[in-house]
């Protein structure tokens, strides 16, 4: 890993304030990934018997999801999975359900796709994307882990984004302004299947324009559809009338040994802090988030 480029404090403050965000600007001319074109996104609906993500689970409680699929994958599930993988490998943007909100995913290895997401979100370039993976074991390839593996397994999969030092395996065009990266393993069967079948890191952000509310169903971000390759409809996520359901994941910085820092409280703050403090003895960092 080469020398770390340290951004100014104002940049780092913006970075930490929105680990799931992205900014405007374009990387589309840097590398040759095929970007989506045509009239807009194809819509695929997940089978209702397997689409519903678990609601109100604590972090790390969804490691065995096979039972939620009725013991196997339906034809519709497999079709959606194959279509999403194909779109991602072609450099497209895919709207996906997670355990917290609807998101937009792309290949973290495709710089052109990353640029397309920056433009889609219309946000400052200093607000980074998280990386979505399918297994806890994958984290060790893309991050320098300074906590016990058991801690990762207690929090993931779940509604938590863990921020750690990135390794040299990640695309340099992904959040080039920070040595850290936020890792997500959503407690959602389709997202875990997708990340595993794609066999690479997925960049992930919320499916909404900057400053607009987060999305809990696909119709809430319908204005983005023309810029997407595919929309996976997993049904409503949580209580549409509850503001708490739009908070997104809890974002916690674990890059300093023995300490943790809450970057965004999100929807799982209480249980996450309890696991970190009571079970693993981590202490809250006094360093401010911004």
């Amino acid at each position: 890993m080469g020398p770390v480029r340290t951004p100014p404090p104002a940049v780092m403050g913006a970075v930490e304030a929105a680990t799931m965000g992205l900014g405007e600007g374009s990387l589309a001319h840097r590398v040759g990934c095929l970007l989506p074109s045509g009239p807009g996104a194809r819509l695929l609906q997940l089978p209702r018997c397997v689409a519903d993500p678990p609601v109100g689970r604590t972090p790390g409680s969804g490691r065995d999801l096979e039972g939620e699929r009725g013991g196997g994958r339906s034809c519709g599930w497999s079709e959606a999975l194959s279509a999403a993988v194909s779109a991602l490998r072609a450099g497209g943007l895919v709207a996906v359900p997670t355990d917290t909100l609807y998101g937009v995913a792309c290949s973290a290895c495709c710089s052109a796709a990353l640029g397309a997401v920056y433009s889609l979100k219309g946000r400052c370039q200093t607000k980074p994307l998280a990386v979505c993976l399918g297994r806890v074991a994958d984290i060790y390839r893309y991050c320098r882990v300074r906590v016990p593996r058991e801690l990762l397994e207690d929090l993931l999969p779940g509604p938590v984004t863990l921020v750690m030092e990135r390794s040299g395996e990640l695309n340099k065009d992904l959040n080039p302004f920070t040595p850290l990266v936020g890792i997500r393993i959503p407690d959602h069967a389709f997202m875990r299947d997708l990340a595993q079948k794609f066999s690479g890191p997925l960049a992930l952000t919320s499916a909404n324009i900057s400053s607009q509310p987060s999305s809990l169903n696909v119709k809430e971000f319908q204005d983005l559809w023309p810029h997407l390759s595919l929309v996976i409809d997993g049904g409503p996520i949580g209580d549409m009338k509850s503001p708490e359901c739009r908070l997104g994941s809890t974002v916690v910085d674990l890059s300093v040994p023995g300490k943790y820092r809450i970057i965004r409280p999100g929807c799982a703050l209480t249980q996450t802090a309890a696991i970190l403090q009571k079970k693993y003895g981590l202490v809250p960092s006094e360093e401010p988030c911004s």
Side-chain angles (χ1 to χ4, degrees), residues 1-25:
M1 185 174 179
V4 172
R5 290 171 289 175
T6 304
V11 172
M12 283 304 294
V15 168
E16 293 169 340
T19 300
M20 288 294 287
L22 252 184
E24 56 194 1

Side-chain angles (χ1 to χ4, degrees), residues 83-251:
V85 169
S86 295
L88 292 165
R89 288 177 178 168
L93 311 185
V94 178
V96 290
T98 77
D99 53 352
T100 56
L101 308 166
Y102 271 88
V104 172
C106 73
S107 170
C109 299
C110 180
S111 298
L114 296 175
V117 180
Y118 274 83
S119 298
L120 181 76
K121 293 285 291 186
R123 296 185 67 179
C124 174
Q125 285 183 301
T126 57
K127 295 183 177 180
L129 283 171
V131 168
C132 178
L133 302 173
R135 306 178 184 89
V136 167
D138 297 333
I139 297 175
Y140 291 84
R141 178 177 178 182
Y142 301 107
C143 296
R144 302 183 187 279
V145 181
R146 294 190 170 98
V147 295
R149 180 172 179 136
E150 291 77 13
L151 184 153
L152 301 180
E153 293 175 342
D154 277 342
L155 293 176
L156 301 172
V160 182
T161 300
L162 301 183
V163 178
M164 291 172 276
E165 183 181 352
R166 62 190 286 163
S167 77
E169 289 286 321
L170 285 172
N171 180 2
K172 291 180 173 59
D173 284 333
L174 175 74
N175 311 333
F177 42 79
T178 174
L180 305 180
V181 66
I183 299 295
R184 279 279 274 138
I185 303 180
D187 189 5
H188 191 286
F190 182 81
M191 279 307 298
R192 293 181 66 207
D193 273 2
L194 177 60
Q196 291 173 25
K197 187 173 179 63
F198 183 72
S199 299
L202 295 174
L204 183 66
T205 186
S206 55
N208 62 300
I209 298 294
S210 176
S211 79
Q212 296 299 312
S214 302
S215 301
L216 297 178
N217 68 54
V218 296
K219 291 184 179 179
E220 290 185 333
F221 59 92
Q222 200 163 355
D223 55 333
L224 302 183
W225 289 15
H227 308 287
L228 304 173
S229 294
L230 181 66
V231 174
I232 302 297
D233 184 357
I237 299 174
D239 182 357
M240 300 287 295
K241 297 181 180 180
S242 172
E244 294 182 359
C245 286
R246 298 182 189 269
L247 293 177
S249 64
T250 294
V251 183

Side-chain angles (χ1 to χ4, degrees), residues 21-92:
L22 252 184
E24 56 194 1
S26 178
L27 303 173
H29 300 293
R30 294 190 185 181
V31 299
C33 290
L34 177 65
L35 291 180
S37 60
R42 176 186 179 193
L43 178 67
L44 289 178
Q45 188 170 37
L46 294 181
R48 297 306 303 148
C49 60
V50 293
D52 296 318
V55 176
R57 285 198 175 179
T58 56
S61 65
R63 283 187 288 272
D64 182 6
L65 292 167
E66 197 63 35
E68 293 171 14
R69 303 185 188 116
R73 298 165 179 80
S74 71
C75 180
W77 182 280
S78 298
E79 179 190 4
L81 191 61
S82 296
V85 169
S86 295
L88 292 165
R89 288 177 178 168

